[in-house]
Amino acid sequence: MELLHFHDPMCSWCWAFRPTWQQLRAQLPADLPVRRVVGGLAPDSDVPMEPAMRAKLQSVWQMIQARVPGTPFNFDFWQNCTPRRSTYNACRAVLAAKRLAPESEEAMIVGIQEAYYLQAQNPSDISTLVEIAQSMGLDAEAFAAEVSGATVEAALQEELAFARQAPINGFPSLVLRTASGMYPIGLDYLDAAPMLLQIHTAMEAAR
């Protein structure tokens, strides 16, 4: 039995969900492992983002701030960077960090989110991801090799395939995986209690 957290480190809704997700994790049963699965919002691309998509994503950030008050966004990103609709490198970075040091998976996710949403840096760029890894204490050369290597690419494709088959509609998503099946958990961006109740109920049903 495990709780699956489907996410993308460059997903703005995942960023908004983070505080409540931390609260939920702190209250989960001690015997329930959590597994993160990167979903891959947007494949590799070197093409600058079209103006319409840039406007759409900025409006999404504004909508999130209205629905999840207190979610910080640095809108300087849209002036300081050349956005690309490309998140696979960020997903690879999470997998590469996990391979180099399993305990660094969470730190890499947070590092990417803070670089993107607070510091107006572009995690679609490998150079940005290497800087994040280095700031975490990972070896820059080893990380750069991992993030571009065949092993991480195979792991990414495996997680993408798993996410596509899972009973989810987007990111973030939570699913309780048990021997008897998969139980989607309805998200609440403002309160961990309803999600915790669903998890306990699904765990009891699966036993």
Side-chain angles (χ1 to χ4, degrees):
M1 192 177 291
E2 62 182 350
L3 183 64
L4 302 171
H5 177 214
F6 295 88
H7 74 102
D8 187 298
M10 290 182 67
C11 161
S12 51
W13 284 103
C14 295
W15 170 241
F17 185 56
R18 177 168 179 75
T20 307
W21 168 235
Q22 289 178 303
Q23 294 171 19
L24 176 63
R25 285 184 58 193
Q27 300 175 61
L28 289 173
D31 60 345
L32 180 63
V34 173
R35 175 185 164 195
R36 302 173 190 85
V37 181
V38 290
L41 271 176
D44 297 318
S45 174
D46 291 325
V47 179
M49 195 180 292
E50 293 288 337
M53 178 58 73
R54 292 168 64 115
K56 177 182 177 182
L57 291 180
Q58 289 178 73
S59 70
V60 169
W61 289 13
Q62 292 166 341
M63 179 174 64
I64 288 172
Q65 288 183 319
R67 294 189 183 180
V68 190
T71 305
F73 289 103
N74 185 346
F75 285 83
D76 288 347
F77 172 82
W78 301 100
Q79 282 72 49
N80 297 352
C81 298
T82 303
R84 307 195 309 279
R85 186 71 174 144
S86 179
T87 71
Y88 279 21
N89 277 338
C91 292
R92 291 185 185 101
V94 173
L95 298 175
K98 185 179 178 181
R99 276 182 54 77
L100 291 172
E103 70 280 2
S104 70
E105 179 186 23
E106 178 77 8
M108 176 55 74
I109 295 169
V110 176
I112 291 169
Q113 291 176 327
E114 291 185 346
Y116 185 21
Y117 296 115
L118 300 183
Q119 298 157 14
Q121 299 176 18
N122 193 348
S124 295
D125 297 336
I126 292 291
S127 58
T128 300
L129 298 168
V130 171
E131 287 179 10
I132 295 168
Q134 203 163 15
S135 73
M136 292 164 45
L138 296 176
D139 181 89
E141 287 188 16
F143 175 82
E146 282 289 341
V147 82
S148 303
T151 301
V152 162
E153 181 61 26
L156 174 65
Q157 295 304 323
E158 184 178 331
E159 297 216 353
L160 296 183
F162 181 50
R164 290 186 191 111
Q165 295 171 2
I168 65 174
N169 294 316
F171 309 111
S173 287
L174 295 177
V175 176
L176 183 71
R177 186 182 193 183
T178 75
S180 59
M182 306 267 271
Y183 296 82
I185 304 299
L187 298 190
D188 189 315
Y189 284 80
L190 303 176
D191 187 359
M195 295 182 289
L196 190 64
L197 178 59
Q198 291 177 69
I199 291 166
H200 280 296
T201 301
M203 289 178 70
E204 288 302 317
R207 287 188 171 127

